[in-house]
Amino acid sequence: MTSTAPEALQGHDAGDKPPSWPQRLRRFGHVPRPVTGLRERLVPPYTRPSERLWAVLAVPPSLAERLIRWSAWGGPLLVALVAGALRFWNLGNPKAVIFDETYYAKDAWALVNQGYEGNWPKDIDARILKDPSSVPIPTEPGYVVHPPVGKWVIGLGEQLFGFTPFGWRFMVAVLGTLSVLMLCRIGRRLFRSTFLGCLAGALLAVDGLHFVMSRTALLDLVLMFFVLASFGCLLIDRDWARRKLAAALPEDEEGVLRPDAPVAETLRLGWRPWRLAAGVMLGLAFATKWNGLYILAAFAIMAVLWDVGARRTAGAVRPYLAVLKRDIVPAFFSTVPVAVVTYVASWTGWIVTDKGYFRNWAATAGKGGDWTWLPDWLRSLWHYENEVYSFHVNLTSGHTYQSNPWSWIVLGRPVSYFYEDPAAGKDGCPVATKGECAREVLALGTPLLWWAAGFALCYVLWRWFFRRDWRAGAIACAVAAGWGPWFLYQERTIFLFYAVVFVPYLCLAVAMMIGAMVGPAGSDERRRTIGAVGAGVLVLLIVWNFIYFWPLYTGTSIPIDAWRSRMWFDTWV
């Protein structure tokens, strides 16, 4: 052993300088935070399972590599398969027109058959259920207060499987299943972890509100699907833009990527197809329900801020100015005008007919004025939209199941879509039951998942404010865009099931919190074991909670005492 060995162990250099404070801390177990390279900060790699895991499972390296590649799509597809089996099981039950299906199922049937919604008789539901082929489609136009895309989607299922409960619920169940698949892939891209992505999708698969809405012909699940699709498109666009920046930056002699202000501030990113796709998806969301417009605004701002972050990371000294010069105009034209055109195109059925409600307003009651140079159909559509807006903002009539948005995260007032009290031996009520049974379809989120999401949102906000974690910011933005606008209309008649639009992001927040519970890579074995056990218990409790409320989600007959035991709060009755 040479005389310099003790000095080397103590961190002395050749000039016998005293050790730096990080070197001194290493003697007490301090491990410096690993330095992430510029390339990894622009385009982070996906995490890989620990080699120790494959060793414990006795999986050879070649097979482990194939399993890792397979899991990127295999895991999400498996989760989606389970979600689809749950959603399509006995989809036509209850054989009834439940809650607002009385509007959308009939409007969709008229829309796909004649291009505009009809004015249906009020007592027609029983005849439809008994013999839909004997029910004529009314040619008199009906006044509707929502854009047509959601009804076109519902109507496609009716075209495939008939004017029946299964038919009008089919496409909604398809979108509900596909949204689980999308969330798995979105979570994987967001967290760079197949496990956390599949976990987020699995949580969505067992959320009661998403489950019920996937089996009911209402518009909100359709809106949620298009919003989630736009979020996914923007995520892909973010990665695409950052890869292009990384490819343009210089490398030093060792092949290490270096920031470069001129490149970061002047590079034109060119054609961005995924941002254009996001514009189409946001237009379809807006063309399903109008609150999609708030989400369009929020996501557009978020995407621009992502561009700022990318150029700053690449070395831009004035990233906001760079984005203003290079990105803001293409970003605007690939989202807002595209969404508007998509929205107007969704009214094609109404435009090409002369029988839709208010279709001929410009040629009759709307004659004259300063806008006669516009096409009559456009002026009539604008008038229709004004009337609908007035209806929505003035909708203050009370409803038994209305709720304030402050109460949504704690599930203060769920909505009962269907309820019957069959006697013993009827409609699935066991013969041996003493007294009557209860059959209900209750739009209630899985309570333990939602209550955990309340804590997860606090964690997400903490990560965003104090760690500047863009992933947490994206989740918070999506939740705020779907939830926040309803606080502007607290006097309006609104319902808990509107919250299905931001349920996927609650699941992402819980998955992010669970990832933190398990612990970051490099944590000691004891820390990760405790975290994994805690996370596993939480997930199992959420799954059990979904199973426990299964009868209330599916309209299954249970004894009245069993039904009462599931009414955890008086406001749920």
Side-chain angles (χ1 to χ4, degrees):
M1 180 179 293
T2 66
S3 60
T4 59
E7 294 179 353
L9 291 174
Q10 295 177 29
H12 287 201
D13 59 16
D16 201 28
K17 294 180 180 179
S20 63
W21 64 266
Q23 291 172 324
R24 294 183 183 185
L25 287 176
R26 288 195 194 104
R27 290 183 294 177
F28 300 96
H30 169 72
V31 178
R33 181 178 296 180
V35 178
T36 304
L38 178 58
R39 191 183 304 278
E40 288 71 28
R41 283 189 289 137
L42 281 171
V43 189
Y46 287 87
T47 58
R48 296 171 59 88
S50 169
E51 294 182 3
R52 187 189 310 170
L53 174 65
W54 301 122
V56 170
L57 298 176
V59 176
S62 58
L63 178 58
E65 192 62 34
R66 287 196 297 271
L67 288 175
I68 291 172
R69 289 197 303 269
W70 170 87
S71 65
W73 273 103
L77 286 171
L78 182 60
V79 174
L81 180 64
V82 174
L86 294 174
R87 280 150 180 77
F88 280 96
W89 177 84
N90 206 11
L91 182 60
N93 179 63
K95 188 179 179 181
V97 181
I98 64 175
F99 202 64
D100 280 354
E101 284 185 343
T102 190
Y103 304 115
Y104 305 127
K106 292 181 291 191
D107 286 344
W109 183 244
L111 195 63
V112 297
N113 282 283
Q114 63 187 19
Y116 64 94
E117 297 90 342
N119 186 20
W120 293 86
K122 292 184 179 180
D123 57 350
I124 202 68
D125 290 354
R127 285 183 58 192
I128 293 172
L129 293 170
K130 185 177 181 180
D131 184 12
S133 63
S134 67
V135 179
I137 300 172
T139 56
E140 179 186 353
Y143 177 63
V144 296
V145 296
H146 290 296
V149 163
K151 287 165 282 187
W152 281 111
V153 170
I154 294 169
L156 177 59
E158 293 173 331
Q159 288 285 79
L160 293 173
F161 298 102
F163 196 24
T164 64
F166 182 86
W168 60 64
R169 295 169 190 160
F170 175 80
M171 282 303 300
V172 184
V174 169
L175 297 190
T177 303
L178 290 178
S179 65
V180 171
L181 174 61
M182 284 198 304
L183 190 66
C184 290
R185 293 287 297 176
I186 286 170
R188 179 179 183 271
R189 183 175 292 273
L190 187 70
F191 301 127
R192 288 307 199 257
S193 166
T194 301
F195 168 73
L196 290 181
C198 290
L199 175 61
L203 292 174
L204 186 64
V206 297
D207 174 62
L209 182 61
H210 185 274
F211 176 78
V212 170
M213 297 300 289
S214 298
R215 294 167 53 90
T216 312
L218 271 64
L219 303 181
D220 299 85
L221 193 285
V222 181
L223 170 65
M224 180 280 306
F225 174 83
F226 290 126
V227 170
L228 184 61
S230 68
F231 187 83
C233 288
L234 290 174
L235 269 182
I236 298 174
D237 173 76
R238 181 184 186 274
D239 281 355
W240 179 91
R242 294 169 80 90
R243 278 197 300 270
K244 196 162 186 178
L245 273 170
L249 291 174
E251 295 181 352
D252 62 17
E253 61 277 4
E254 296 179 355
V256 177
L257 203 67
R258 295 299 181 187
D260 186 279
V263 171
E265 293 181 355
T266 62
L267 180 68
R268 293 186 181 275
L269 297 175
W271 171 254
R272 299 175 70 166
W274 285 106
R275 182 168 282 183
L276 186 65
V280 174
M281 292 298 107
L282 288 166
L284 291 172
F286 178 31
T288 301
K289 290 189 77 172
W290 276 6
N291 50 312
L293 187 60
Y294 291 101
I295 297 166
L296 166 63
F299 281 11
I301 294 171
M302 178 180 70
V304 170
L305 292 177
W306 284 352
D307 285 344
V308 171
R311 291 190 181 272
R312 178 190 290 119
T313 302
V317 178
R318 291 175 289 185
Y320 284 94
L321 182 60
V323 168
L324 185 63
K325 289 180 177 180
R326 306 296 182 191
D327 300 323
I328 197 73
V329 173
F332 174 81
F333 281 103
S334 60
T335 52
V336 178
V338 170
V340 171
V341 170
T342 303
Y343 177 84
V344 175
S346 73
W347 285 88
T348 300
W350 181 88
I351 293 170
V352 298
T353 183
D354 61 353
K355 296 181 180 179
Y357 203 87
F358 280 136
R359 177 61 184 85
N360 297 310
W361 174 86
T364 54
K367 281 186 176 181
D370 298 329
W371 301 95
T372 53
W373 54 275
L374 291 173
D376 282 356
W377 67 265
L378 184 56
R379 293 174 57 224
S380 296
L381 180 60
W382 183 261
H383 175 73
Y384 198 168
E385 305 287 61
N386 275 325
E387 292 294 316
V388 170
Y389 177 76
S390 178
F391 169 84
H392 282 303
V393 298
N394 293 302
L395 183 61
T396 56
S397 57
H399 192 284
T400 304
Y401 292 106
Q402 72 182 63
S403 60
N404 189 284
W406 286 108
S407 70
W408 289 356
I409 197 68
V410 294
L411 302 171
R413 182 60 169 164
V415 182
S416 181
Y417 286 172
F418 170 84
Y419 183 86
E420 284 184 351
D421 49 0
K426 295 183 179 179
D427 293 327
C429 185
V431 177
T433 302
K434 295 181 180 179
E436 61 186 18
C437 286
R439 291 184 67 203
E440 184 172 27
V441 176
L442 187 66
L444 171 73
T446 303
L448 292 185
L449 173 59
W450 281 63
W451 298 340
F455 292 99
L457 286 178
C458 294
Y459 171 70
V460 161
L461 291 174
W462 177 82
R463 290 282 308 186
W464 183 34
F465 281 118
F466 296 105
R467 294 292 184 88
R468 310 310 301 168
D469 191 327
W470 73 271
R471 303 168 302 171
I475 295 170
C477 175
V479 173
W483 189 7
W486 295 111
F487 291 97
L488 303 175
Y489 303 100
Q490 294 184 58
E491 72 286 351
R492 186 185 180 277
T493 306
I494 52 181
F495 303 93
L496 170 65
F497 65 81
Y498 295 170
V500 73
V501 175
F502 60 85
V503 166
Y505 314 102
L506 297 183
C507 295
L508 287 173
V510 174
M512 190 174 188
M513 182 180 71
I514 288 175
M517 290 172 61
V518 173
S523 300
D524 62 79
E525 187 172 346
R526 182 171 179 271
R527 162 70 178 84
R528 301 209 75 171
T529 300
I530 294 174
V533 170
V537 169
L538 176 58
V539 172
L540 289 175
L541 286 173
I542 290 170
V543 174
W544 164 82
N545 205 208
F546 174 75
I547 296 170
Y548 179 72
F549 284 99
W550 173 269
L552 301 188
Y553 298 145
T554 57
T556 302
S557 290
I558 55 175
I560 193 67
D561 289 339
W563 176 84
R564 290 194 185 102
S565 69
R566 288 165 171 79
M567 295 295 106
W568 287 0
F569 301 100
D570 292 341
T571 56
W572 289 9
V573 179

